[in-house]
Amino acid sequence: MWSWVLEGVGLTGALIVGRRHFYGWAILLGNTVLWSVYGITKHEYGFVVASFAYAPVYARNLIRWYQARNANV
């Protein structure tokens, strides 16, 4: 069940990014932490590795989108 919830959070973050809101990246970044916890507790270490791969991308995009948003204000 938790994998479905986490997937829903990820999909929500992606939809928010699609609407050009920077905080969608924050949701996706937070979701990587949740996937890591899930992977550790379920002994599914591929999720942990994937989370560590996605996290820098999401963090970079969050920072860039936030800076662009504040540059236009």
Side-chain angles (χ1 to χ4, degrees):
M1 174 172 144
W2 282 107
S3 61
W4 289 98
V5 172
L6 294 175
E7 189 57 37
V9 172
L11 182 58
T12 300
L15 289 171
I16 292 171
V17 167
R19 292 183 179 175
R20 301 189 183 271
H21 296 290
F22 78 94
Y23 57 87
W25 294 113
I27 293 170
L28 290 169
L29 186 59
N31 201 34
T32 62
V33 174
L34 298 175
W35 274 111
S36 293
V37 171
Y38 176 80
I40 291 168
T41 58
K42 297 293 186 179
H43 304 286
E44 295 285 343
Y45 300 109
F47 289 117
V48 178
V49 172
S51 293
F52 280 111
Y54 283 106
V57 174
Y58 295 156
R60 178 178 172 258
N61 288 336
L62 172 63
I63 291 166
R64 286 190 173 191
W65 281 48
Y66 184 77
Q67 289 172 340
R69 176 181 170 251
N70 288 336
N72 293 330
V73 173

